Each structure stands twice: as structure tokens, then as C-alpha cells.
Amino acid sequence: MLKWALIFAIVALVAGAMGFGGIAGASAGIAKILFFLFVVGFLVFLVMGLMAGRKMTR
């Protein structure tokens, strides 16, 4: 998911440099949503991994 966020961010930068404001805005919005979904998923799995590690050591 982070890979797709980076791809959309690059597309937004290139489109913005070429003057395509609508495409750049849409790509930046998609990149932002994907990045936040990645962060939330990462935090959820991090907490789940920490909790599983604690249960096995006790």
C-alpha cells in the first residue's frame, strides 16, 4: 500500500509540474488516503504483534 501511495505522489508531482491541476489534486488526495491507511494498518499489526509476543512469554 505504501508503494501505491508513493506512485500516486509521484504522479501528482509530475502532473502538477506540467500544469494538470485536477489530476495532480486527485492523485495527491489518493496518495494521502493510501498513506494514512498504511499507517493505521501498520499500527494495528504492530500492537497485535506486541500483544502476541507477550502472551507467548508468560
Side-chain angles (χ1 to χ4, degrees), residues 17-48:
M18 293 182 155
F20 298 109
I23 295 172
S27 294
I30 292 171
K32 191 184 305 184
I33 290 169
L34 288 175
F35 178 74
F36 286 122
L37 285 175
F38 168 77
V39 170
V40 168
F42 173 75
L43 291 175
V44 166
F45 283 114
L46 182 67
V47 169
M48 287 172 54

